[in-house]
Amino acid sequence: MQSPEDVATAVGRNVRALRQQRRMTIDALAAAAGVSRGTVIQIETARGNPSIATLTALAVALRVGVASLVEDATEPRVIVRRGSEAATLWSSAAGSSALFRIGTDPPDVVELWDWTLQPDDGFDGEAHPIGTQEVLSVLSGRLGLRVGTTEQALDTGDTVLFQAHVPHRYSGIGDEPVRFVMVVLQPGDAGLVPPTSIAEAELPGPS
């Protein structure tokens, strides 16, 4: 597993290289990503790990997937992503974490995440572009899932697919940690579909 320092170094190097390849100034990248100039400078100089939201915003602004920002650019891209190379892109004081396992670059983005949430801990996900879907499968424990105003409790072995264009929250239920894998599917035309043509997220009912 990459250390936070290794992740920060890789992200800084990749953001700077991609920005220069696209002939973008620091100010232009900051404006495109909706972050401050100081944030971009801090990231490029590896003085801190960006949040998942900031990392995603930078990836969109640079027209790449999150994988291109966290991978060690000094090594050739390989099909197999070893467990020791997984990047922890979010963690909490309670001991929860989100590992980014692997992903693709646009136009069609696919990301694989490995989550562990401690009891009563949770993570609030921001709304993705319209057309984005998430698939979650609970490996152990119980997972609380809220999509918009819909709430569900998922047990070990349960799997759910939902449209992620509204705010959503994952949380640990019970006395044991919950571990689940998540796939984010964002097609190249995500965000171009009118909201009225998107149905409500369909979630499994209580067993």
Side-chain angles (χ1 to χ4, degrees), residues 100-116:
F100 181 79
R101 291 294 183 185
I102 202 165
T104 63
D105 287 336
D108 298 313
V109 176
V110 179
E111 297 174 353
L112 176 63
W113 295 77
D114 185 344
W115 286 77
T116 299

Side-chain angles (χ1 to χ4, degrees), residues 1 8 30 39 94 98 103 107 122 185 195 200:
M1 185 183 302
T39 295
L185 308 170
E200 291 295 325

Side-chain angles (χ1 to χ4, degrees), residues 52 55-56 66 87-90 98-102 111-115 180-184:
I52 291 176
L55 201 60
T56 301
V66 172
T88 301
L89 298 185
W90 174 80
L99 296 180
F100 181 79
R101 291 294 183 185
I102 202 165
E111 297 174 353
L112 176 63
W113 295 77
D114 185 344
W115 286 77
F180 62 98
V181 290
M182 176 180 74
V183 176
V184 180

Side-chain angles (χ1 to χ4, degrees), residues 137-143 153-159 173 176-180 207:
S137 187
V138 182
L139 302 180
S140 62
R142 300 191 73 216
L143 174 68
L154 305 176
D155 295 317
T156 299
D158 287 351
T159 302
I173 300 177
E176 300 295 330
V178 57
R179 185 182 175 203
F180 62 98
S207 57

Side-chain angles (χ1 to χ4, degrees), residues 81-99:
R81 187 79 178 270
R82 303 297 180 184
S84 60
E85 298 171 335
T88 301
L89 298 185
W90 174 80
S91 61
S92 74
S96 300
S97 63
L99 296 180

